[in-house]
Amino acid sequence: MSLVLHELLVCCRGLENEKATERKKEVDRFRRLIHARDTVEELDRTSACQVSKGSKQLTWDAVFRFLQKFLQKETELLQSGKANVSATTHANRQKKMQEISSLMKYFIRCANQRGEKLKCAELMSHMVEVLQNPFSCAAYGEDYSSILLKNILSVRKYWCEMSQQQWHSLLDLYCGLFIKGFKSINRVQVSRIIYTVVRGCCLQTDGLSHTLFNFFLKALSNSRAERQLMILENLVSAVNVFLHSVLLSCRKRVCGLGEEILPSLLYVYTQMRPSSVLKEELVKFFNLQLCVHHPRGAKTLETGAHAEDWVRWQGQLYALYDSLVSEIGQIGSRGKYATGSRHIAVQENLIELTADVCHQLFSQGTHVQEVTSSLYRDTQRDSPQSFKRRRLEQPLTNWEVIRSKLQPHHSDFDMIP
């Protein structure tokens, strides 16, 4: 063993010292050594070699195991401390927790900076173990979630090496953290991890757990109360990925979930000024629901259409139609900037969605039609008594409404139906 690695090994063993002051000195020394160029080169060399099982050579994985023992020891000491302490002691504990997780984050980034040196299985096992423990999750959850998102889930090699069980465990873990409203981890970060892991499960495993239906029902039913739109952007993106993967095998459940959360998502679309990315994801969701409720444009139950509650679904279609007309009208009414003109084009997916909704609601062969219109509220379940009947004269005018909104009224518009 080289001198630099021997010095690092002595330092790693010093992390197990019984005296807190000695361990603190070794932490500072560890940071300095792990950053040194000659140490990094030696660890890269030994890790790249096919070292025999009984060899005493120090590798990145061996150092990682020392660090895991250090974190476990420090966590046990913190957990055994008194609950009722002064504000100063509490602040010192918080600082200590941050230093420990910061050290782990620093080490992982140093190790994998020149390619993935740490083994995925051991890295993921440690991550899940820490995050599943309520105390250590509260202590290190924020930093560990950052490591997971930036240093593991962003690496394609780790995607391929993660087992199906690890993917599903990670998904169950973060879905649980989101529903419980775990305050120690940023909710935007949690939602981003959920989206990433849902994608990973679709690509790297045999399938997704059907418990996700219940998760998205709980997470999105009251979307109007969510103040951080980035969270909704991640969750709607995730539900779109999930539903695309299960719509052929679970059509009824996809329809049922859509009918439950569509009113809430429609409120987000019309009332909460979503970003362009969130709007696009919402349109994808509405389009998917049209496809799964009305395959190949089927209009009736007899011809292949399906809904868990047909009357309720028809009411939601009218609400969706009204929202789309309003959206296209707003696009068409925007004028010039103070410094010049701009060209506006209605997105193709929005036009396709509007055309599909019109196809379902309005028949070209009938001139007068009785329909039901929903008066549902965005977050409560509809009842048959909450519907009123309205009369549509000249159904073709409903197509004309859309068409008129798409016509250029000023020279500074460039509308593309």
Side-chain angles (χ1 to χ4, degrees), residues 27-39:
V27 167
D28 296 335
R29 184 183 173 198
F30 180 85
R31 279 183 176 272
R32 186 176 69 255
L33 288 173
I34 212 69
H35 182 68
R37 182 177 176 180
D38 50 353
T39 309

Side-chain angles (χ1 to χ4, degrees), residues 43-62:
L43 284 172
D44 284 350
R45 183 184 62 78
T46 56
S47 299
C49 296
Q50 295 295 324
V51 182
S52 61
K53 192 172 183 180
S55 173
K56 295 182 179 179
Q57 285 285 359
L58 198 63
T59 64
W60 284 110
D61 286 315

Side-chain angles (χ1 to χ4, degrees), residues 156 159-164 167 199-206:
R156 184 61 190 169
W159 271 51
C160 298
E161 292 180 356
M162 283 173 62
S163 68
Q164 180 166 301
W167 279 112
R199 284 183 59 234
C201 286
C202 288
L203 292 171
Q204 302 297 131
T205 71
D206 295 335

Side-chain angles (χ1 to χ4, degrees), residues 251-259 289-290 292-295 298-302 304-317 381:
R251 183 189 174 197
K252 289 185 178 180
R253 296 195 70 176
V254 173
C255 290
L257 177 64
E259 290 163 33
Q289 289 300 320
L290 259 292
V292 76
H293 277 83
H294 305 280
K299 287 190 175 184
T300 63
L301 298 174
E302 294 74 19
H306 174 80
E308 291 295 287
D309 185 334
W310 185 256
V311 176
R312 184 187 188 198
W313 171 245
Q314 290 295 299
Q316 290 179 349
L317 283 182
R381 186 176 181 84

Side-chain angles (χ1 to χ4, degrees), residues 108-123:
I108 292 173
R109 288 177 178 173
C110 283
N112 287 348
Q113 196 170 17
R114 299 150 316 285
E116 296 70 45
K117 301 297 189 297
L118 298 172
K119 291 178 183 175
C120 178
E122 191 165 349
L123 191 56

